[in-house]
Amino acid sequence: MYLSSISYTYGEQRLIRELGEDGCDDARLKEERLEHYRATDVSSLDMARDVGARTLAAAGGTCDLILFATETRDGPEILTANAQLANALGLPGAIVMSVGGHACGNLGLLLQLARGLVATSAAESILIITSDRVVNRPRMMAGALSVLSDGAAAAYVSRERPAGPGPTFVVHGVAVSGDSRGGTADASPAAQLRTVQLGRAAAKGLKAATGRGPRDFTRVLFNNYRTASLRFLTGAAGFLSPQLLIGPVAEYAHSYAADLLTNLALMHDEGAITAGDRLALAATGPHSWAMIDVEVAA
């Protein structure tokens, strides 16, 4: 299947050191290019409407299904939110499926569901949206993983290659591994071991699905975590350090599951990835790890 017409939106840029939270004045943040985060008062549903509308406009204005992932409870109940999203996008007849529960790893869930639907249902095109903002929780993440930002991203998923302009990405396969033991803030040696096992299991699953192991990819791309965490995760999944491609952490910090879609669009525009590159996208959550085999289309 194909990914195209990626859109994204973020809150305004603010200084991390002014957060007033534990660790916000850590000198290592600046060394790791983390001085700012993004914050907004716009609801997660309104951000989803924004990026969804722009993606649909770029893709031609319609789709068969909408998959919406969020962890933020800052609006109406799911039934009402789904209806409001479909109506706001001018698609009152479209089925909206709300998914979640994998936090920063929700992109893996979205793409796995989209791939299954494109392969087994009549749906030829799916709009995927992930949108989140920080509500009633710290922005400084446990284990010095990263700093949370508010943002959203959307992409058009289609069975056939889209005809419009703009970057297109071929999704060759998705593999997800899970382990529900431990808490979301667990940084113990046992939790680190589970992370390594999750990464290796996801990489093994992707190789079984597409025939490509970690060393067969041009680059590996994670969410916008801190440098030390990125290096650990790279090795955990069996990739080499030179394969790691670091996203625009300084510009956007870490916005839940929106990072990877945003980074694909930005890096393509900047020439950091080019036609023929085979990318391993690693969408990691507290209890899951998804590996996505993506090729930059010519």
Side-chain angles (χ1 to χ4, degrees), residues 131-153:
S131 178
D132 284 286
R133 57 189 286 260
V134 173
V135 178
N136 299 324
R137 63 156 295 171
R139 290 187 182 271
M140 302 299 300
M141 299 181 71
L145 181 62
S146 194
V147 182
L148 283 173
S149 283
D150 303 338

Side-chain angles (χ1 to χ4, degrees), residues 27-232:
R28 290 173 297 179
L29 287 169
K30 186 174 182 179
E31 295 172 7
E32 295 182 331
R33 302 182 294 173
L34 260 173
E35 289 189 84
H36 301 92
Y37 69 98
R38 300 296 188 110
T40 184
D41 293 327
V42 176
S43 73
S44 59
L45 181 58
D46 284 341
M47 287 194 292
R49 291 168 178 159
D50 175 17
V51 294
R54 286 192 279 123
T55 288
L56 279 179
T62 189
C63 66
D64 299 316
L65 291 169
I66 301 169
L67 298 182
F68 175 38
T70 185
E71 303 294 336
T72 308
R73 300 294 174 257
D74 63 345
E77 63 179 5
I78 291 175
L79 180 63
T80 302
N82 285 354
Q84 289 183 359
L85 183 57
N87 285 322
L89 295 175
L91 298 170
I95 298 298
V96 181
M97 299 173 62
S98 291
V99 299
H102 291 265
C104 313
N106 276 339
L107 181 66
L109 181 65
L110 286 171
L111 289 176
Q112 188 179 49
L113 288 172
R115 187 169 177 82
L117 289 165
V118 165
T120 62
S121 76
E124 295 185 359
S125 60
I126 299 173
L127 176 65
I128 62 170
I129 307 172
T130 175
S131 178
D132 284 286
R133 57 189 286 260
V134 173
V135 178
N136 299 324
R137 63 156 295 171
R139 290 187 182 271
M140 302 299 300
M141 299 181 71
L145 181 62
S146 194
V147 182
L148 283 173
S149 283
D150 303 338
Y156 193 73
V157 176
S158 56
R159 183 180 298 155
E160 302 296 333
R161 179 169 178 165
T168 298
F169 305 92
V170 189
V171 180
H172 291 285
V174 181
V176 183
S177 61
D179 189 335
S180 296
R181 292 173 294 177
T184 57
D186 190 354
S188 67
Q192 293 180 19
L193 176 59
R194 287 196 296 272
T195 297
V196 171
Q197 292 170 336
L198 275 175
R200 295 293 166 89
K204 182 178 179 180
L206 193 63
K207 185 170 185 179
T210 69
R212 286 184 176 259
R215 309 298 169 83
D216 299 318
F217 288 93
T218 312
R219 307 298 290 271
V220 60
L221 180 62
F222 293 86
N223 289 325
N224 293 345
Y225 301 137
R226 294 176 65 171
T227 305
S229 297
L230 289 172
R231 289 172 178 162
F232 169 73

